[in-house]
Amino acid sequence: MEGPANLLRDKHVEYIVQLGKADNTLGFHLTEHLRLNGIYWAVTCLALLKRIDALDRQQTIDYVYSCWDNKLGGFGSHPNHDSHMLSTLSAIQVLAIHDAIQESGIDTDKVINYILSLRPKNEGFFTGDEWGESDTRFTYCAVSALSLLGALHKLDEKENGVAIKDRIVDWFKQCMNFDGGFGNNISAETHSGQVFTAVAALAILDRLDIIDRDNLSWWLSERQVESGGLNGRPQKLEDVCYSWWVLSGLSILHRLHWINKEKLMSFILSSQDPDNGGIADRPGDVADVYHTLFGVAGLSMMGYPDLEQVDPVYCMPVKTIERMHLTKSYTLL
Ligand code: GRG
């Protein structure tokens, strides 16, 4: 495979920093709805590259605060955008990485209540916003954000005699397929992105017992194709982002060694842009910050030298999760 043999750290840092400065481009304005997610991908990636200082800490915290709706309690992806579960988790993650949840000035009780308000009565799933779409992604976001906010005990509360936590576990059980994996809803096809959300949420809830580890890990390890890259489901193209969605699940299930690490590392490194920095979905494509984070996070899980270790449950630096005393069981290479 052609392409750089080593991680182009400085190029990736420069690439991420210049993204924040390109605010006079059409692309910048067209991606407002993803801005807070983008900041989470950028900050986490810089932290894993040990260069978190490349983006100004105070400016980042102020921007996150400006996305907070102090009436509703959630975060939109940009100031004056509607609150959403995805941007709310990204906001909390960025603040947590900067150890700034308290310092930011947000009222965490309001955020917790916003998240809890997105679970329909007597259900075990959370919606993305008030319009009611359900997806395992949003349930993971709720569980992860509540845990980062120290509010997981809220899920012990009972509703009609059943603890909310048990309803969530039961819902994931219903989303489980014959191959051991999970789709985005009940009866939906297994997809490795959704597998991450289920495995990581169940890890946070200490309920991995409902998973058949060998069956699911077999399905996950079958995602590696000839090029060394991983796909998200059978018969699909390989993509660098699955280096995160697949490896995180294998790591939490203690089966990370079921992947050919050398071939996957080489696939990720070949997907770097040697001129302008950043990592693309596959070699020769255009780089973006999403694939840059998940490529670097994959390398970190596989023990690439001189990277911060990434926590496979939260997709945040291990040292942040250890500081918050939230570490779960997993293996890294
Ligand atoms: C904190 C890491 C983190 C995540 C928050 C947003 C979220 C929770 C999880 C997303 C999980 C997910 C569904 C990831 C997959 C995204 C993806 C690349 C989807 C592509 O789907 P298709 O059908 O592509 O377009 P394939 O590769 O299947 O052809």
Side-chain angles (χ1 to χ4, degrees), residues 258-269:
W258 287 16
I259 285 287
N260 182 324
K261 155 180 151 171
E262 284 72 29
K263 284 188 83 173
L264 179 54
M265 276 192 177
S266 151
F267 174 76
I268 298 172
L269 294 173

Side-chain angles (χ1 to χ4, degrees), residues 37 40-41 86 89-90 93 135-138 140-141 144 184 189-197 230-239 241-242 244-245 282 290-291 293-294 312-316:
N37 303 125
Y40 156 69
W41 299 326
L86 292 172
L89 174 62
S90 290
Q93 288 175 301
D135 184 313
T136 47
R137 283 180 304 158
F138 308 141
Y140 166 77
C141 289
S144 173
N184 67 355
E189 177 193 0
T190 297
H191 190 288
S192 60
Q194 315 295 341
V195 169
F196 161 76
T197 62
L230 309 176
N231 62 17
R233 45 190 167 143
Q235 309 302 327
K236 290 286 191 156
L237 283 180
E238 63 271 44
D239 181 320
C241 73
Y242 297 120
W244 168 260
W245 306 116
R282 58 189 75 90
Y290 166 90
H291 288 93
L293 166 62
F294 291 126
V313 174
Y314 292 92
C315 197
M316 291 162 64

